[in-house]
Amino acid sequence: MECEICGKPVPEHNPIRAKIEGSVMVVCKECSKLGKIQKAPPKPKYVQQKNKKQKNAPKRNYSRNDEPSEELIEDFSSEVRRARESKKWSREDLGKKINERVSVITRIETGKMTPDTKLTKKLEKALNIKLLEKVNNVDLNQFISSSSGERTLGNVMKIKRK
């Protein structure tokens, strides 16, 4: 272990920690005079064994099945507005039907807000439209044989053009 200021060796079994200009550093005896010596942190009274299972914190394993299988369509805002106008409803009418404020409907239709899954499903049911599309799982192995031989994000992602 070395002094963080001058680089001289510092004993590992008993390093000196000093607070110098707001930073706590491991320093040699000479450099410790430049700041205030800090006390060593207290050692824990007991060490928790790793193989004991905690009762209150169940461990959750995440899998690929936890990934979303549906995704909001790209032009959801215009689709919502088009469907509402075809039913000859005002924003207030749609808000009452799905139990949402008019400001929420306005923000969705202008694209300033992306609805969450629950709100999207309410809109789909009220307007009888599809706003969620299925997401296909991509097999990354098919991209190994690309021209450069490396996997890049550009090789994998699907680019939507307007």
Side-chain angles (χ1 to χ4, degrees), residues 8-60:
K8 290 182 184 174
V10 175
E12 286 191 32
H13 65 279
N14 193 16
I16 300 170
R17 297 187 192 283
K19 189 171 193 174
I20 303 171
E21 293 189 20
S23 296
V24 178
M25 297 186 255
V26 176
V27 293
C28 63
K29 191 165 187 147
E30 290 82 30
C31 293
S32 68
K33 296 174 186 173
L34 299 172
K36 187 175 181 181
I37 296 177
Q38 302 290 302
K39 291 183 181 179
K43 294 186 179 178
K45 293 180 182 177
Y46 66 94
V47 178
Q48 187 177 9
Q49 295 178 355
K50 289 185 179 179
N51 52 355
K52 286 186 179 179
K53 291 184 179 178
Q54 293 181 355
K55 295 177 184 174
N56 296 343
K59 187 175 180 181
R60 171 125 198 247

Tab-separated table of all heavy atoms in Angstrom, residues 8-60:
chain	number	residue	atom	x	y	z
A	8	LYS	N	5.126	7.005	-0.780
A	8	LYS	CA	5.944	6.164	0.089
A	8	LYS	C	5.127	4.974	0.565
A	8	LYS	O	3.903	5.043	0.669
A	8	LYS	CB	6.410	6.968	1.305
A	8	LYS	CG	7.428	8.040	0.982
A	8	LYS	CD	7.865	8.733	2.254
A	8	LYS	CE	8.809	9.886	1.944
A	8	LYS	NZ	9.132	10.653	3.146
A	9	PRO	N	5.812	3.878	0.903
A	9	PRO	CA	5.080	2.702	1.398
A	9	PRO	C	4.412	2.982	2.752
A	9	PRO	O	4.964	3.670	3.594
A	9	PRO	CB	6.135	1.624	1.541
A	9	PRO	CG	7.442	2.214	1.136
A	9	PRO	CD	7.237	3.625	0.743
A	10	VAL	N	3.212	2.442	2.918
A	10	VAL	CA	2.437	2.576	4.155
A	10	VAL	C	2.175	1.164	4.662
A	10	VAL	O	1.810	0.288	3.872
A	10	VAL	CB	1.097	3.300	3.881
A	10	VAL	CG1	0.228	3.345	5.115
A	10	VAL	CG2	1.333	4.692	3.342
A	11	PRO	N	2.349	0.905	5.955
A	11	PRO	CA	2.099	-0.454	6.462
A	11	PRO	C	0.633	-0.854	6.283
A	11	PRO	O	-0.265	-0.099	6.629
A	11	PRO	CB	2.478	-0.367	7.948
A	11	PRO	CG	2.480	1.082	8.277
A	11	PRO	CD	2.766	1.809	7.018
A	12	GLU	N	0.427	-2.059	5.707
A	12	GLU	CA	-0.934	-2.506	5.415
A	12	GLU	C	-1.708	-2.877	6.661
A	12	GLU	O	-2.922	-2.731	6.700
A	12	GLU	CB	-0.906	-3.692	4.451
A	12	GLU	CG	-0.577	-3.279	3.040
A	12	GLU	CD	-0.813	-4.382	2.038
A	12	GLU	OE1	-1.726	-5.191	2.243
A	12	GLU	OE2	-0.078	-4.419	1.044
A	13	HIS	N	-1.026	-3.354	7.694
A	13	HIS	CA	-1.730	-3.794	8.895
A	13	HIS	C	-2.233	-2.612	9.723
A	13	HIS	O	-3.172	-2.752	10.489
A	13	HIS	CB	-0.833	-4.702	9.749
A	13	HIS	CG	0.367	-4.010	10.306
A	13	HIS	ND1	1.505	-3.795	9.551
A	13	HIS	CD2	0.597	-3.469	11.531
A	13	HIS	CE1	2.397	-3.150	10.305
A	13	HIS	NE2	1.863	-2.944	11.497
A	14	ASN	N	-1.651	-1.439	9.568
A	14	ASN	CA	-2.073	-0.276	10.345
A	14	ASN	C	-1.924	0.997	9.511
A	14	ASN	O	-1.093	1.840	9.817
A	14	ASN	CB	-1.258	-0.194	11.643
A	14	ASN	CG	-1.865	0.781	12.623
A	14	ASN	OD1	-3.005	1.181	12.485
A	14	ASN	ND2	-1.081	1.167	13.615
A	15	PRO	N	-2.724	1.184	8.458
A	15	PRO	CA	-2.576	2.381	7.634
A	15	PRO	C	-3.104	3.615	8.362
A	15	PRO	O	-3.999	3.528	9.205
A	15	PRO	CB	-3.434	2.074	6.406
A	15	PRO	CG	-4.455	1.119	6.890
A	15	PRO	CD	-3.789	0.307	7.961
A	16	ILE	N	-2.529	4.760	8.048
A	16	ILE	CA	-2.965	6.016	8.658
A	16	ILE	C	-3.934	6.674	7.689
A	16	ILE	O	-3.624	6.868	6.511
A	16	ILE	CB	-1.761	6.946	8.922
A	16	ILE	CG1	-0.775	6.267	9.865
A	16	ILE	CG2	-2.221	8.273	9.486
A	16	ILE	CD1	0.552	7.000	9.988
A	17	ARG	N	-5.110	7.012	8.200
A	17	ARG	CA	-6.096	7.715	7.391
A	17	ARG	C	-6.178	9.143	7.906
A	17	ARG	O	-6.350	9.358	9.095
A	17	ARG	CB	-7.465	7.053	7.497
A	17	ARG	CG	-7.472	5.641	6.973
A	17	ARG	CD	-8.890	5.091	6.936
A	17	ARG	NE	-8.931	3.676	6.721
A	17	ARG	CZ	-8.738	3.063	5.567
A	17	ARG	NH1	-8.460	3.774	4.509
A	17	ARG	NH2	-8.797	1.759	5.468
A	18	ALA	N	-6.049	10.096	6.979
A	18	ALA	CA	-6.088	11.501	7.360
A	18	ALA	C	-7.060	12.240	6.452
A	18	ALA	O	-7.148	11.960	5.254
A	18	ALA	CB	-4.706	12.117	7.268
A	19	LYS	N	-7.764	13.196	7.039
A	19	LYS	CA	-8.676	14.037	6.271
A	19	LYS	C	-7.920	15.292	5.886
A	19	LYS	O	-7.576	16.111	6.729
A	19	LYS	CB	-9.918	14.382	7.084
A	19	LYS	CG	-10.998	15.054	6.289
A	19	LYS	CD	-12.269	15.165	7.109
A	19	LYS	CE	-13.436	15.553	6.232
A	19	LYS	NZ	-14.691	15.528	6.978
A	20	ILE	N	-7.635	15.415	4.579
A	20	ILE	CA	-6.861	16.538	4.065
A	20	ILE	C	-7.721	17.273	3.054
A	20	ILE	O	-8.108	16.697	2.032
A	20	ILE	CB	-5.537	16.061	3.428
A	20	ILE	CG1	-4.725	15.269	4.460
A	20	ILE	CG2	-4.745	17.234	2.882
A	20	ILE	CD1	-3.525	14.566	3.897
A	21	GLU	N	-8.023	18.518	3.335
A	21	GLU	CA	-8.863	19.365	2.487
A	21	GLU	C	-10.168	18.674	2.105
A	21	GLU	O	-10.598	18.700	0.957
A	21	GLU	CB	-8.092	19.816	1.248
A	21	GLU	CG	-6.951	20.756	1.581
A	21	GLU	CD	-6.325	21.386	0.342
A	21	GLU	OE1	-6.980	21.410	-0.716
A	21	GLU	OE2	-5.186	21.829	0.460
A	22	GLY	N	-10.814	18.022	3.068
A	22	GLY	CA	-12.121	17.423	2.863
A	22	GLY	C	-12.119	15.999	2.356
A	22	GLY	O	-13.168	15.380	2.295
A	23	SER	N	-10.958	15.447	1.998
A	23	SER	CA	-10.890	14.072	1.499
A	23	SER	C	-10.141	13.193	2.483
A	23	SER	O	-9.087	13.565	2.971
A	23	SER	CB	-10.153	14.025	0.156
A	23	SER	OG	-10.873	14.737	-0.812
A	24	VAL	N	-10.675	12.014	2.750
A	24	VAL	CA	-10.002	11.053	3.612
A	24	VAL	C	-9.102	10.195	2.737
A	24	VAL	O	-9.557	9.601	1.757
A	24	VAL	CB	-11.012	10.176	4.374
A	24	VAL	CG1	-10.299	9.153	5.233
A	24	VAL	CG2	-11.930	11.038	5.222
A	25	MET	N	-7.801	10.179	3.076
A	25	MET	CA	-6.817	9.449	2.270
A	25	MET	C	-5.942	8.585	3.153
A	25	MET	O	-5.773	8.853	4.341
A	25	MET	CB	-5.926	10.445	1.523
A	25	MET	CG	-6.649	11.312	0.545
A	25	MET	SD	-5.513	12.305	-0.402
A	25	MET	CE	-5.778	13.884	0.363
A	26	VAL	N	-5.373	7.535	2.554
A	26	VAL	CA	-4.380	6.701	3.220
A	26	VAL	C	-3.029	7.360	2.961
A	26	VAL	O	-2.629	7.536	1.810
A	26	VAL	CB	-4.410	5.257	2.677
A	26	VAL	CG1	-3.314	4.424	3.312
A	26	VAL	CG2	-5.772	4.627	2.915
A	27	VAL	N	-2.338	7.755	4.052
A	27	VAL	CA	-1.098	8.518	3.907
A	27	VAL	C	-0.009	7.957	4.817
A	27	VAL	O	-0.268	7.187	5.739
A	27	VAL	CB	-1.332	10.015	4.243
A	27	VAL	CG1	-2.240	10.663	3.226
A	27	VAL	CG2	-1.904	10.186	5.638
A	28	CYS	N	1.230	8.398	4.547
A	28	CYS	CA	2.351	8.016	5.401
A	28	CYS	C	2.374	8.935	6.628
A	28	CYS	O	1.592	9.877	6.736
A	28	CYS	CB	3.666	8.123	4.628
A	28	CYS	SG	4.060	9.790	4.089
A	29	LYS	N	3.285	8.644	7.550
A	29	LYS	CA	3.344	9.414	8.795
A	29	LYS	C	3.658	10.888	8.536
A	29	LYS	O	3.086	11.772	9.172
A	29	LYS	CB	4.387	8.795	9.719
A	29	LYS	CG	4.345	9.331	11.115
A	29	LYS	CD	5.127	8.442	12.054
A	29	LYS	CE	4.897	8.944	13.464
A	29	LYS	NZ	4.896	7.891	14.426
A	30	GLU	N	4.554	11.170	7.580
A	30	GLU	CA	4.914	12.558	7.291
A	30	GLU	C	3.741	13.327	6.682
A	30	GLU	O	3.486	14.475	7.036
A	30	GLU	CB	6.125	12.627	6.344
A	30	GLU	CG	7.439	12.184	6.959
A	30	GLU	CD	7.598	10.666	6.949
A	30	GLU	OE1	7.047	10.001	6.036
A	30	GLU	OE2	8.239	10.135	7.872
A	31	CYS	N	3.042	12.720	5.762
A	31	CYS	CA	1.935	13.391	5.088
A	31	CYS	C	0.705	13.515	5.989
A	31	CYS	O	-0.164	14.343	5.741
A	31	CYS	CB	1.565	12.657	3.808
A	31	CYS	SG	2.856	12.734	2.541
A	32	SER	N	0.617	12.697	7.050
A	32	SER	CA	-0.526	12.781	7.956
A	32	SER	C	-0.537	14.106	8.709
A	32	SER	O	-1.575	14.540	9.198
A	32	SER	CB	-0.525	11.615	8.941
A	32	SER	OG	0.567	11.719	9.831
A	33	LYS	N	0.609	14.775	8.752
A	33	LYS	CA	0.698	16.075	9.433
A	33	LYS	C	-0.009	17.176	8.649
A	33	LYS	O	-0.283	18.237	9.183
A	33	LYS	CB	2.165	16.449	9.652
A	33	LYS	CG	2.887	15.487	10.570
A	33	LYS	CD	4.356	15.798	10.637
A	33	LYS	CE	5.084	14.727	11.452
A	33	LYS	NZ	6.526	14.896	11.396
A	34	LEU	N	-0.316	16.920	7.374
A	34	LEU	CA	-0.968	17.925	6.539
A	34	LEU	C	-2.471	18.032	6.807
A	34	LEU	O	-3.105	18.976	6.354
A	34	LEU	CB	-0.752	17.595	5.057
A	34	LEU	CG	0.702	17.560	4.578
A	34	LEU	CD1	0.770	17.039	3.156
A	34	LEU	CD2	1.317	18.946	4.676
A	35	GLY	N	-3.027	17.065	7.526
A	35	GLY	CA	-4.467	17.062	7.787
A	35	GLY	C	-4.769	16.523	9.165
A	35	GLY	O	-3.897	16.453	10.037
A	36	LYS	N	-6.015	16.131	9.374
A	36	LYS	CA	-6.462	15.612	10.666
A	36	LYS	C	-6.573	14.093	10.571
A	36	LYS	O	-7.241	13.553	9.676
A	36	LYS	CB	-7.821	16.216	11.018
A	36	LYS	CG	-8.291	15.870	12.392
A	36	LYS	CD	-9.580	16.601	12.717
A	36	LYS	CE	-10.014	16.239	14.135
A	36	LYS	NZ	-11.259	16.885	14.496
A	37	ILE	N	-5.914	13.389	11.487
A	37	ILE	CA	-5.912	11.927	11.482
A	37	ILE	C	-7.302	11.424	11.885
A	37	ILE	O	-7.890	11.897	12.856
A	37	ILE	CB	-4.817	11.366	12.424
A	37	ILE	CG1	-3.441	11.787	11.908
A	37	ILE	CG2	-4.930	9.858	12.536
A	37	ILE	CD1	-2.295	11.370	12.785
A	38	GLN	N	-7.803	10.456	11.105
A	38	GLN	CA	-9.127	9.881	11.342
A	38	GLN	C	-8.989	8.567	12.092
A	38	GLN	O	-8.029	7.829	11.904
A	38	GLN	CB	-9.830	9.610	10.003
A	38	GLN	CG	-9.983	10.831	9.131
A	38	GLN	CD	-10.972	11.802	9.699
A	38	GLN	OE1	-12.118	11.463	9.906
A	38	GLN	NE2	-10.532	13.022	9.941
A	39	LYS	N	-9.981	8.278	12.929
A	39	LYS	CA	-9.985	7.002	13.637
A	39	LYS	C	-10.348	5.888	12.667
A	39	LYS	O	-11.074	6.098	11.697
A	39	LYS	CB	-11.011	7.021	14.773
A	39	LYS	CG	-10.638	7.929	15.916
A	39	LYS	CD	-11.671	7.813	17.010
A	39	LYS	CE	-11.315	8.734	18.166
A	39	LYS	NZ	-12.326	8.666	19.231
A	40	ALA	N	-9.846	4.706	12.939
A	40	ALA	CA	-10.158	3.538	12.106
A	40	ALA	C	-11.627	3.183	12.299
A	40	ALA	O	-12.159	3.312	13.406
A	40	ALA	CB	-9.276	2.360	12.489
A	41	PRO	N	-12.313	2.752	11.253
A	41	PRO	CA	-13.720	2.376	11.410
A	41	PRO	C	-13.839	1.174	12.333
A	41	PRO	O	-12.972	0.289	12.341
A	41	PRO	CB	-14.168	2.035	9.991
A	41	PRO	CG	-12.920	1.769	9.227
A	41	PRO	CD	-11.839	2.562	9.901
A	42	PRO	N	-14.889	1.126	13.155
A	42	PRO	CA	-15.044	-0.003	14.083
A	42	PRO	C	-15.277	-1.298	13.324
A	42	PRO	O	-15.924	-1.317	12.278
A	42	PRO	CB	-16.280	0.375	14.910
A	42	PRO	CG	-17.034	1.325	14.052
A	42	PRO	CD	-16.016	2.051	13.244
A	43	LYS	N	-14.726	-2.376	13.870
A	43	LYS	CA	-14.900	-3.687	13.251
A	43	LYS	C	-16.269	-4.232	13.641
A	43	LYS	O	-16.736	-4.011	14.755
A	43	LYS	CB	-13.798	-4.637	13.704
A	43	LYS	CG	-12.441	-4.194	13.200
A	43	LYS	CD	-11.369	-5.191	13.522
A	43	LYS	CE	-10.047	-4.676	12.955
A	43	LYS	NZ	-8.959	-5.556	13.251
A	44	PRO	N	-16.947	-4.946	12.738
A	44	PRO	CA	-18.273	-5.470	13.068
A	44	PRO	C	-18.186	-6.503	14.182
A	44	PRO	O	-17.220	-7.252	14.289
A	44	PRO	CB	-18.753	-6.096	11.755
A	44	PRO	CG	-17.525	-6.309	10.941
A	44	PRO	CD	-16.537	-5.284	11.385
A	45	LYS	N	-19.229	-6.536	15.013
A	45	LYS	CA	-19.255	-7.462	16.139
A	45	LYS	C	-19.452	-8.908	15.678
A	45	LYS	O	-18.966	-9.824	16.302
A	45	LYS	CB	-20.372	-7.070	17.116
A	45	LYS	CG	-20.110	-5.750	17.795
A	45	LYS	CD	-21.227	-5.397	18.742
A	45	LYS	CE	-20.964	-4.033	19.373
A	45	LYS	NZ	-22.045	-3.620	20.251
A	46	TYR	N	-20.194	-9.060	14.629
A	46	TYR	CA	-20.399	-10.403	14.084
A	46	TYR	C	-20.417	-10.313	12.574
A	46	TYR	O	-20.705	-9.291	11.990
A	46	TYR	CB	-21.706	-11.021	14.585
A	46	TYR	CG	-22.935	-10.309	14.085
A	46	TYR	CD1	-23.584	-10.731	12.940
A	46	TYR	CD2	-23.453	-9.209	14.770
A	46	TYR	CE1	-24.694	-10.076	12.469
A	46	TYR	CE2	-24.571	-8.545	14.310
A	46	TYR	CZ	-25.193	-8.990	13.165
A	46	TYR	OH	-26.300	-8.335	12.711
A	47	VAL	N	-20.110	-11.430	11.946
A	47	VAL	CA	-20.113	-11.503	10.489
A	47	VAL	C	-21.237	-12.444	10.078
A	47	VAL	O	-21.302	-13.574	10.557
A	47	VAL	CB	-18.754	-12.016	9.954
A	47	VAL	CG1	-18.792	-12.144	8.443
A	47	VAL	CG2	-17.635	-11.111	10.406
A	48	GLN	N	-22.137	-11.958	9.218
A	48	GLN	CA	-23.259	-12.765	8.762
A	48	GLN	C	-22.765	-13.801	7.760
A	48	GLN	O	-22.007	-13.488	6.853
A	48	GLN	CB	-24.304	-11.876	8.108
A	48	GLN	CG	-25.564	-12.610	7.755
A	48	GLN	CD	-26.614	-11.667	7.180
A	48	GLN	OE1	-26.325	-10.526	6.899
A	48	GLN	NE2	-27.808	-12.174	7.000
A	49	GLN	N	-23.183	-15.040	7.959
A	49	GLN	CA	-22.779	-16.100	7.054
A	49	GLN	C	-23.613	-16.046	5.790
A	49	GLN	O	-24.812	-15.783	5.823
A	49	GLN	CB	-22.937	-17.460	7.734
A	49	GLN	CG	-21.998	-17.623	8.909
A	49	GLN	CD	-22.217	-18.954	9.602
A	49	GLN	OE1	-23.119	-19.703	9.266
A	49	GLN	NE2	-21.384	-19.239	10.579
A	50	LYS	N	-22.977	-16.314	4.653
A	50	LYS	CA	-23.654	-16.192	3.366
A	50	LYS	C	-24.615	-17.340	3.098
A	50	LYS	O	-25.588	-17.175	2.389
A	50	LYS	CB	-22.630	-16.131	2.232
A	50	LYS	CG	-21.877	-14.833	2.207
A	50	LYS	CD	-20.972	-14.775	1.011
A	50	LYS	CE	-20.244	-13.451	0.978
A	50	LYS	NZ	-19.347	-13.355	-0.152
A	51	ASN	N	-24.375	-18.505	3.656
A	51	ASN	CA	-25.215	-19.635	3.322
A	51	ASN	C	-26.522	-19.671	4.124
A	51	ASN	O	-27.356	-20.507	3.887
A	51	ASN	CB	-24.458	-20.962	3.473
A	51	ASN	CG	-23.799	-21.087	4.834
A	51	ASN	OD1	-23.833	-20.162	5.631
A	51	ASN	ND2	-23.178	-22.225	5.090
A	52	LYS	N	-26.730	-18.742	5.055
A	52	LYS	CA	-28.006	-18.646	5.756
A	52	LYS	C	-28.975	-17.863	4.892
A	52	LYS	O	-28.642	-16.802	4.388
A	52	LYS	CB	-27.848	-17.935	7.103
A	52	LYS	CG	-27.177	-18.771	8.164
A	52	LYS	CD	-27.204	-18.054	9.479
A	52	LYS	CE	-26.554	-18.873	10.562
A	52	LYS	NZ	-26.561	-18.174	11.844
A	53	LYS	N	-30.174	-18.375	4.717
A	53	LYS	CA	-31.169	-17.701	3.896
A	53	LYS	C	-31.925	-16.690	4.744
A	53	LYS	O	-32.312	-16.979	5.868
A	53	LYS	CB	-32.151	-18.702	3.300
A	53	LYS	CG	-31.515	-19.591	2.267
A	53	LYS	CD	-32.547	-20.483	1.636
A	53	LYS	CE	-31.903	-21.363	0.588
A	53	LYS	NZ	-32.865	-22.272	-0.011
A	54	GLN	N	-32.143	-15.497	4.162
A	54	GLN	CA	-32.922	-14.489	4.857
A	54	GLN	C	-34.393	-14.763	4.597
A	54	GLN	O	-34.803	-15.024	3.473
A	54	GLN	CB	-32.552	-13.088	4.365
A	54	GLN	CG	-31.150	-12.683	4.740
A	54	GLN	CD	-30.844	-11.273	4.247
A	54	GLN	OE1	-31.634	-10.646	3.561
A	54	GLN	NE2	-29.686	-10.789	4.632
A	55	LYS	N	-35.200	-14.666	5.646
A	55	LYS	CA	-36.615	-14.988	5.522
A	55	LYS	C	-37.399	-13.842	4.884
A	55	LYS	O	-38.356	-14.066	4.176
A	55	LYS	CB	-37.202	-15.306	6.895
A	55	LYS	CG	-36.616	-16.560	7.503
A	55	LYS	CD	-37.163	-16.797	8.883
A	55	LYS	CE	-36.500	-18.011	9.515
A	55	LYS	NZ	-36.889	-18.202	10.893
A	56	ASN	N	-37.017	-12.600	5.127
A	56	ASN	CA	-37.806	-11.454	4.691
A	56	ASN	C	-37.544	-11.038	3.252
A	56	ASN	O	-38.340	-10.328	2.669
A	56	ASN	CB	-37.542	-10.256	5.611
A	56	ASN	CG	-38.000	-10.533	7.025
A	56	ASN	OD1	-38.774	-11.448	7.247
A	56	ASN	ND2	-37.540	-9.745	7.969
A	57	ALA	N	-36.417	-11.421	2.684
A	57	ALA	CA	-36.066	-10.961	1.334
A	57	ALA	C	-35.962	-12.150	0.376
A	57	ALA	O	-34.901	-12.732	0.230
A	57	ALA	CB	-34.750	-10.201	1.367
A	58	PRO	N	-37.075	-12.524	-0.254
A	58	PRO	CA	-36.991	-13.632	-1.206
A	58	PRO	C	-36.220	-13.199	-2.443
A	58	PRO	O	-36.383	-12.094	-2.935
A	58	PRO	CB	-38.449	-13.937	-1.544
A	58	PRO	CG	-39.164	-12.654	-1.280
A	58	PRO	CD	-38.421	-11.989	-0.155
A	59	LYS	N	-35.393	-14.090	-2.937
A	59	LYS	CA	-34.586	-13.785	-4.115
A	59	LYS	C	-35.419	-14.081	-5.352
A	59	LYS	O	-36.042	-15.127	-5.457
A	59	LYS	CB	-33.316	-14.631	-4.113
A	59	LYS	CG	-32.353	-14.253	-5.201
A	59	LYS	CD	-31.067	-15.030	-5.073
A	59	LYS	CE	-30.115	-14.630	-6.170
A	59	LYS	NZ	-28.877	-15.356	-6.123
A	60	ARG	N	-35.441	-13.133	-6.266
A	60	ARG	CA	-36.230	-13.297	-7.482
A	60	ARG	C	-35.289	-13.461	-8.658
A	60	ARG	O	-34.401	-12.652	-8.876
A	60	ARG	CB	-37.101	-12.060	-7.692
A	60	ARG	CG	-37.776	-12.073	-9.038
A	60	ARG	CD	-39.258	-11.928	-8.927
A	60	ARG	NE	-39.840	-12.371	-10.183
A	60	ARG	CZ	-40.458	-11.578	-11.017
A	60	ARG	NH1	-40.602	-10.332	-10.730
A	60	ARG	NH2	-40.948	-12.042	-12.142
